[in-house]
Amino acid sequence: MPTYTAPTKDLQFVLHDVLKITQSDIPGYADLEVDFTSAILEEAGKISSEVLAPLNTVGDTEGCRMENGVVYTPTGFKEAFEQVKEGGWPGLDMPEEYGGQNMPAVIGSAVGEMFSAANQAFTMYQGLTHGAASAILAHGTQAQKDTYLPKMVSCEWTGTMNLTEPHCGTDLGLMRTKAEPQGDGGYKITGQKIFISSGEHDMADNIVHLVLGKIVGGPEGIKGVSLFIVPKFLVNEDGSLGARNGVTCGKIEEKMGIHGNSTCVMNYDEATGYLLGEEHKGMRAMFTMMNEARLGVGMQGLAQAEAAYQNALEYAKDRLQGRDVTGAKNPDGPADPLIVHPDIRRSLMDQKSFAEGARAFILWGATMIDAAHRSGDKDADGLVSLLTPVIKGFLTDQGYDMTIKAQQVYGGHGYIEEWGMSQYTRDARIAMIYEGANGVQALDLVGRKLAQDGGKHVMAFFDLVKSFIKDTAGQDADFDRDFLDPLKAASKDLQSAGMYFMQNGMKNPNNALAGSYDFMHMFGHVCLGLMWAQMGKAARDALSAGASDAAFYETKLATGRYYMARQLPATALHLSRIQSGADTVMALEAANF
């Protein structure tokens, strides 16, 4: 059975050596001393490794089952959920007034990575609840907040998001779910939603569904969509649970992965719902949840890659196959371990350099969320908005690829279920699809985010890269060559791609849209290149200061050099594809495919 060890030391390195969180003026960051964050991460890591990870295979093999309309989660999930709730983990970064601990999002993200890596399907129950609670916090009335948030923050009640219908996914303007006003402030919600993660289960007393629907008589299309709170059980004025609402689970979807999460078809039959936010402004309210979810899904790409890499590394060290071409490394044994072979090293270095770079990227993104929410920093809000499709799309694409590389290290055993490696690949696959498929993320990046606020935020990103290079250059020729020069070249490629879109996208929009996926990946590589340059600088500085754990920092530098030399040059390929335009992409008539 696969195992998982929480990367607490690496998380601490990013938080304190790279991001230097205690030196930030973001409210709450001054309290995040090394010992304090260490205590949180160690405890979360212990739960991840000892409680959640052993249930990962259980959830995959058992899945969820429905009997007489009741959905039962896999063996051990309910008890583990109680442990997570007792520790206050679901409310780690939620407001104290509703029972949370008011920690910054950067700490919530660090803990979230570990929980998700240990057991993605399990962690989704609390993850969806967090997103639903955030939407109510941002858009709900005071009465709605008081009614739902204390129970949701503690995960006594869980939450969901209901968007997709059988005939519409991305194009939500086509939805048919209707809401009929009742004259008392309530609505009757009727319709069917599919692919609803955590839609029905046995781990919470109530499930608070956030449902998109159209108020009868409202505008057509997306402009007529509103968001409603539709609880499984109605809530009495004193906060106790009342009658069962008109919402039921039609079936549990049979899926490729995340079997431990109850992905449901949900039927609404004149269910009582309450408007969340304004009439016909449902997408604005839902996107509070969607944007948070997209960052969380990007984290899932990293998490599955990290867990798969850990197991592939151990296998490569233990499995004896062939001899090192430069001479036997295990002369007393029948063969050398797999890890001596350059191609295995290449695969492991791909995985390691991605996971560590992605971790820094996620945590950097979380600091921008904190700056926006805690300090009202509009520039940080704009930058993380720009980077959200990159975090979601690039990290999940790459994360999935890394799970395949990890599986490949095992050879045939990676394809056999008893070794458990296929689960990482199957679980990682959904992250490329839900919360907006990655092709849509790329279109959002190029079609909307680049031009947002007159291109202010993408220019701020380029200035950030340029400033880092300028401030760091000239101190160490080797560092300049290994880290700064590749980053400069990749950033120029990204700027050239942006210029191509400006010059060619207006006269033929397909020229921009055909290159959007490559641009998203190019942007992702530049972001990881920036992270690796920053981590390389932090490691170099620590060694210069006489750090006691020199091996850790030397390993960090070596891993960074690998990414800059072997992965970052992919920007040149992506640029070439972008500059080839849309003609070859659009050349065939639909009938000729």
Side-chain angles (χ1 to χ4, degrees):
M1 180 188 296
T3 60
Y4 172 70
T5 302
T8 53
K9 184 169 186 176
D10 203 51
L11 286 163
Q12 286 282 80
F13 165 73
V14 175
L15 291 174
H16 296 287
D17 292 50
V18 181
L19 298 176
K20 301 183 186 299
I21 53 175
T22 57
Q23 298 176 26
S24 170
D25 60 2
I26 297 172
Y29 273 39
D31 299 328
L32 302 179
E33 297 289 347
V34 172
D35 290 346
F36 181 66
T37 57
S38 176
I40 295 171
L41 297 182
E42 290 296 333
E43 186 60 30
K46 184 177 180 182
I47 293 173
S48 299
S49 300
E50 297 178 9
V51 178
L52 303 187
L55 294 174
N56 199 35
T57 301
V58 175
D60 187 54
T61 53
E62 284 190 17
C64 297
R65 72 183 196 280
M66 186 166 75
E67 297 177 5
N68 300 318
V70 178
V71 173
Y72 297 94
T73 50
T75 302
F77 269 44
K78 196 169 184 178
E79 294 76 12
F81 203 56
E82 289 302 314
Q83 283 188 251
V84 169
K85 288 192 289 185
E86 287 169 10
W89 296 106
L92 187 67
D93 56 359
M94 296 298 281
E96 287 181 290
E97 63 184 300
Y98 300 113
Q101 300 181 51
N102 203 35
M103 294 281 181
V106 72
I107 299 300
S109 294
V111 170
E113 182 205 324
M114 292 186 280
F115 280 11
S116 189
N119 195 324
Q120 178 176 321
F122 175 93
T123 302
M124 288 171 64
Y125 290 98
Q126 68 191 62
L128 269 296
T129 305
H130 190 288
S134 294
I136 294 173
L137 183 65
H139 302 282
T141 65
Q142 191 59 52
Q144 289 172 336
K145 295 176 188 178
D146 292 342
T147 298
Y148 297 104
L149 290 183
K151 298 288 189 180
M152 294 177 74
V153 166
S154 67
C155 266
E156 292 175 70
W157 300 351
T158 59
T160 70
M161 54 195 298
N162 287 235
L163 291 79
T164 307
E165 299 183 7
H167 61 285
C168 75
T170 301
D171 191 354
L172 293 171
L174 298 175
M175 72 174 57
R176 296 173 184 155
T177 296
K178 66 179 182 178
E180 298 183 72
Q182 297 301 295
D184 59 357
Y187 295 78
K188 291 297 183 185
I189 312 297
T190 301
Q192 185 180 76
K193 299 290 185 176
I194 62 172
F195 308 155
I196 308 307
S197 301
S198 313
E200 176 63 38
H201 58 84
D202 60 347
M203 299 198 300
D205 297 332
N206 201 4
I207 302 175
V208 181
H209 303 287
L210 299 192
V211 184
L212 284 178
K214 293 180 176 180
I215 297 173
V216 175
E220 291 297 317
I222 200 68
K223 293 181 179 179
V225 172
S226 300
L227 184 61
F228 301 90
I229 299 173
V230 188
K232 174 181 174 181
F233 289 98
L234 298 175
V235 183
N236 297 321
E237 286 190 16
D238 64 359
S240 63
L241 295 181
R244 176 71 187 256
N245 207 352
V247 51
T248 57
C249 174
K251 71 168 186 175
I252 302 174
E253 305 279 16
E254 294 186 18
K255 313 183 295 291
M256 175 179 175
I258 55 168
H259 296 151
N261 193 269
S262 53
T263 307
C264 300
V265 173
M266 301 302 298
N267 296 319
Y268 294 86
D269 185 10
E270 295 193 342
T272 298
Y274 309 95
L275 183 69
L276 179 59
E278 301 176 51
E279 284 189 358
H280 317 310
K281 303 291 185 183
M283 293 311 299
R284 179 187 301 172
M286 181 58 81
F287 267 107
T288 297
M289 189 172 181
M290 285 287 286
N291 286 331
E292 178 180 314
R294 285 170 178 170
L295 295 170
V297 170
M299 183 198 299
Q300 289 178 345
L302 153 64
Q304 296 309 298
E306 169 67 28
Y309 162 70
Q310 287 187 15
N311 287 278
L313 175 61
E314 288 306 307
Y315 187 83
K317 289 179 177 179
D318 292 340
R319 176 74 167 177
L320 302 181
Q321 291 285 286
R323 288 293 189 191
D324 187 333
V325 295
T326 64
K329 295 299 185 291
N330 180 32
D332 296 330
D336 289 332
L338 279 172
I339 199 167
V340 305
H341 303 300
D343 192 60
I344 296 294
R345 292 289 189 98
R346 172 198 58 79
S347 175
L348 292 173
M349 287 297 284
D350 281 349
Q351 297 167 55
K352 179 178 174 63
S353 63
F354 166 75
E356 293 178 16
R359 177 171 300 118
F361 189 18
I362 287 281
L363 293 177
W364 177 46
T367 65
M368 286 184 254
I369 293 172
D370 281 328
H373 291 175
R374 289 173 171 252
S375 302
D377 187 334
K378 292 183 179 180
D379 290 337
D381 190 48
L383 185 54
V384 77
S385 177
L386 168 71
L387 295 177
T388 292
V390 183
I391 291 172
K392 195 282 184 184
F394 178 71
L395 295 190
T396 58
D397 276 352
Q398 292 288 103
Y400 176 76
D401 286 348
M402 296 307 152
T403 66
I404 293 174
K405 290 177 185 289
Q407 191 181 28
Q408 189 76 9
V409 169
Y410 280 70
H413 289 304
Y415 198 67
I416 302 299
E417 288 300 324
E418 100 183 64
W419 288 83
M421 291 304 290
S422 76
Q423 183 184 352
Y424 295 118
T425 298
R426 289 185 284 103
D427 286 356
R429 185 65 183 90
I430 185 57
M432 302 160 72
I433 299 171
Y434 60 14
E435 313 307 344
N438 286 356
V440 176
Q441 300 300 320
L443 296 179
D444 178 48
L445 174 64
V446 171
R448 291 179 60 245
K449 297 297 177 63
L450 285 184
Q452 198 168 30
D453 296 327
K456 172 183 176 181
H457 305 300
V458 72
M459 294 309 298
F461 176 81
F462 288 132
D463 287 343
L464 192 154
V465 174
K466 191 180 302 182
S467 295
F468 174 80
I469 293 172
K470 181 181 178 182
D471 293 344
T472 311
Q475 304 168 26
D476 180 338
D478 290 342
F479 186 86
D480 291 358
R481 179 195 66 226
D482 296 341
F483 287 89
L484 301 186
D485 291 349
L487 177 59
K488 186 185 299 183
S491 181
K492 286 182 177 178
D493 286 343
L494 187 62
Q495 292 177 67
S496 296
M499 288 298 297
Y500 175 84
F501 291 153
M502 289 177 61
Q503 294 167 358
N504 297 274
M506 292 296 290
K507 57 187 177 184
N508 181 5
N510 282 339
N511 280 327
L513 300 183
S516 61
Y517 213 90
D518 281 285
F519 187 81
M520 180 178 72
H521 274 253
M522 178 190 285
F523 210 147
H525 278 298
V526 174
C527 287
L528 260 63
L530 175 62
M531 294 299 98
W532 269 116
Q534 292 180 345
M535 288 192 287
K537 179 181 182 297
R540 183 196 67 184
D541 292 349
L543 288 169
S544 298
S548 58
D549 191 359
F552 174 86
Y553 294 107
E554 288 167 353
T555 299
K556 190 64 67 175
L557 279 166
T559 307
R561 290 190 193 100
Y562 179 89
Y563 192 89
M564 305 307 271
R566 301 279 303 214
Q567 293 295 325
L568 195 53
T571 58
L573 171 63
H574 290 302
L575 177 60
S576 180
R577 288 173 174 169
I578 289 168
Q579 292 176 336
S580 72
D583 290 348
T584 56
V585 175
M586 305 301 293
L588 292 181
E589 296 295 330
N592 295 334
F593 274 85

